[in-house]
Amino acid sequence: MKYDNANIFAKILRGEAPCIKVHEDDCTLAFMDIMPQVEGHTLVIPKEPASSLFDLSDSASLACMRAVKIVAKAVELAMGVKGSTVFQHNGKEAGQTVPHFHFHIFPGSIFNASGIKGHAVEMADPAELELVAEKIRAFIGEAAIQVHQVTKP
Ligand code: AMP
């Protein structure tokens, strides 16, 4: 799929649009979903300009999975749940609304989350998202240790 440089995540990566960041490395950025379906709904995107899974390079795939492991574990720890759900859409026919590859991370189960909201429907209060992001950021270090991306000093 031809990459659209004007999509909102490309703007976030260029610093032309804001995001509530929870984690960043050389190849990926993780931030709060602005229309969360559940509290703690977080996104991980590659810095590489890939529209869908089928456009993503092998090196960016690996970088995304490394970041997803850390961020998903941090979301679990921050939200006080034992499990998490990771998913992504490929193409508008599958429900993809932003044409830059990304993983969604939900705390807990997508199937029995109480009060789950529609997909990309309701904007959250940025101040409330920032409070959730603060909690997630506080667990990134511990999460990296738990998923064996770093070892204890
Ligand atoms: P998808 O429909 O799988 O492409 O998911 C796109 C996600 O991006 C949706 O869950 C939206 O709520 C979210 N989203 C759209 N614009 C922004 C933004 N500016 N910052 C953070 N999340 C966004």
Side-chain angles (χ1 to χ4, degrees):
M1 198 193 312
K2 189 177 179 314
Y3 186 74
D4 172 13
N5 270 310
N7 80 75
I8 185 64
F9 293 173
K11 289 181 181 170
I12 288 172
L13 286 169
R14 290 195 298 267
E16 296 167 8
C19 74
I20 300 176
K21 183 164 81 174
V22 296
H23 184 255
E24 182 171 12
D25 60 29
D26 288 349
C27 302
T28 69
L29 180 66
F31 51 91
M32 302 312 295
D33 193 303
I34 206 167
M35 292 172 266
Q37 293 186 246
V38 291
E39 189 177 55
H41 184 175
T42 307
L43 304 172
V44 172
I45 72 171
K47 292 184 178 178
E48 178 178 280
S51 305
S52 81
L53 179 65
F54 310 115
D55 305 300
L56 198 63
S57 69
D58 288 351
S59 62
S61 303
L62 177 61
C64 281
M65 287 315 297
R66 290 173 71 103
V68 164
K69 284 166 71 175
I70 294 170
V71 176
K73 182 54 71 180
V75 166
E76 287 183 11
L77 295 169
M79 305 312 294
V81 295
K82 283 201 186 305
S84 51
T85 301
V86 175
F87 67 96
Q88 56 92 212
H89 299 124
N90 295 301
K92 58 180 185 302
E93 295 79 1
Q96 185 176 4
T97 57
V98 178
H100 180 109
F101 176 83
H102 50 281
F103 282 110
H104 294 262
I105 298 171
F106 276 21
S109 167
I110 197 170
F111 296 117
N112 58 14
S114 67
I116 190 165
K117 293 186 176 149
H119 183 68
V121 171
E122 193 182 323
M123 290 283 270
D125 176 352
E128 283 176 19
L129 283 182
E130 177 55 37
L131 291 178
V132 179
E134 260 174 41
K135 286 194 216 170
I136 296 170
R137 279 183 218 118
F139 281 104
I140 289 288
E142 174 60 23
I145 291 167
Q146 288 197 19
V147 301
H148 311 295
Q149 297 294 325
V150 294
T151 50
K152 274 201 164 99

